[in-house]
Amino acid sequence: MILPIYVYGQPVLREQAKDITPDYPNLKELIANMFETMRQADGVGLAAPQIGLPIRVVVITLDPSSDEYPEFKDFNKAYINPHILETGGEEVSMEEGCLSLPGIHESVKRANEIRVKYMDEDFVEHEETVTGYLARVMQHEFDHLDGKMFIDHLSPLRKQMIRGRLNAMLKGKARSSYRMKQVK
Ligand code: NI
């Protein structure tokens, strides 16, 4: 089932999301719905707060990027209760977008290497060191679980440049090809 994507201005996007337990109701169905919602909106990642749930669940698909990154062919993964333990490596700039910020694309500086722990869909714990593009997508998505969005990483000047579009979103005037839940 395709769910509406919550847009900038929705308070849930600024909440601290909570870890879940294995008895969380209908988790498999929720994850399937998140994958479907992300894909139809052409996203590479989706965090539960973006569909209105303040819980630590994220889905990532890098399959659509596999032309550029062949190692990510068929990469589709759900992350339960992810936490970044450490960041390192050099800082790298790359343009990012977000389904909760339709129409905004800005360069964001992030660590090239992270140490993460998370559980898979079966609540098996994993701890990994991740680099490059996946590390970037993870940092973007896991930020959502701490109430952060990529625009928070922009310089005051860049933020000033997008102020008009952000204000339009607060008035419920965002436009996109997918179904959204705006504040108004
Ligand atoms: Ni996002």
Side-chain angles (χ1 to χ4, degrees), residues 50 98-99 140-141 144:
Q50 295 181 276
C98 179
L99 296 176
H140 176 119
E141 297 309 326
H144 277 300

Side-chain angles (χ1 to χ4, degrees), residues 28-64:
K28 297 264 163 173
E29 193 186 334
L30 170 69
I31 289 170
N33 290 342
M34 285 177 68
F35 270 115
E36 194 182 352
T37 300
M38 168 178 61
R39 288 197 189 104
Q40 61 88 36
D42 291 322
V44 295
L46 187 73
Q50 295 181 276
I51 52 153
L53 297 174
I55 56 171
R56 297 187 81 86
V57 177
V58 161
V59 293
I60 293 177
T61 178
L62 298 186
D63 196 45

